Amino acid sequence: MNNQLGLIAILGISYLLLSQEHGFDYRGESGEGYKQFKSELYDISFKYPADWTKNPNYEERYDGPGGFVEVAEIEAYNRPINVVVQQEINTPIKPFGMNPKVMDVDLDGQPARVIIPSADQNKVFDREVAIIVKNKKPVVEGQERYDYTIIWTDKANLENILNSFKFI
């Protein structure tokens, strides 16, 4: 019992430190000026700024002043979420820099991870962060089955997406 309480305390303190360091607290609610992203394929919804428009060069990407959001499935081959996160972090182009931080979160009852870039992130990725969430049911496209969804966005819009994320 004491070990469990100690672990809970450590996790709580870690969350507070990460949220203060990175300037977000995802417990609040989204305000006005947002549209609802809703995908039957991914069975998810969340809010994004109303002045963003769908980018025709991508399947599920919205861009606008100050940011973007893009949604895709991610191949996991029955691997646990932490392995999937490391797969994303360790791609050869290092989109999150050499030493990104990973924050454990729960999104609508499902395990998720937020990848926060390190200070050496390449400017090409423009403050990009990622959310990887375990789907409540697999996303199926043709013969492929995907157990995780990935959401790329910019740091400024991360809090809003975390606040409003729901499975549908």
Side-chain angles (χ1 to χ4, degrees), residues 41-42 59 72-79 87 135 137-149:
L41 174 62
Y42 299 108
E59 188 174 333
E73 61 276 339
I74 190 168
E75 292 182 330
Y77 308 107
N78 282 332
R79 291 182 271 186
Q87 168 187 315
N135 299 323
K137 62 182 184 180
V139 172
V140 178
E141 281 194 294
Q143 299 294 321
E144 299 298 321
R145 173 192 145 131
Y146 301 96
D147 293 322
Y148 297 92
T149 295

Side-chain angles (χ1 to χ4, degrees), residues 89-109:
I89 287 172
N90 293 322
T91 59
I93 57 176
K94 297 290 186 191
F96 305 101
M98 297 305 289
N99 192 26
K101 291 189 173 31
V102 177
M103 187 174 89
D104 294 7
V105 296
D106 179 280
L107 290 179
D108 199 17

Side-chain angles (χ1 to χ4, degrees), residues 39-45 137-139 149 165-168:
S39 172
E40 298 296 327
L41 174 62
Y42 299 108
D43 285 329
I44 63 171
S45 72
K137 62 182 184 180
V139 172
T149 295
F165 182 93
K166 299 279 186 235
F167 285 98
I168 53 176

Side-chain angles (χ1 to χ4, degrees), residues 16-28:
L16 289 173
L17 290 173
L18 276 172
S19 64
Q20 288 173 354
E21 178 180 342
H22 298 290
F24 63 87
D25 175 0
Y26 84 101
R27 295 170 296 177

Side-chain angles (χ1 to χ4, degrees), residues 29-90:
E29 291 299 321
S30 300
E32 293 181 26
Y34 291 91
K35 290 181 185 173
Q36 190 77 26
F37 172 88
K38 187 174 182 179
S39 172
E40 298 296 327
L41 174 62
Y42 299 108
D43 285 329
I44 63 171
S45 72
F46 56 82
K47 293 181 180 179
Y48 66 93
D51 57 354
W52 291 4
T53 57
K54 186 160 181 17
N55 186 321
N57 299 319
Y58 297 86
E59 188 174 333
E60 291 289 354
R61 182 178 170 117
Y62 294 81
D63 299 300
F68 72 96
V69 65
E70 183 176 354
V71 180
E73 61 276 339
I74 190 168
E75 292 182 330
Y77 308 107
N78 282 332
R79 291 182 271 186
I81 193 166
N82 290 332
V83 173
V84 175
V85 167
Q86 288 307 310
Q87 168 187 315
E88 181 69 12
I89 287 172
N90 293 322

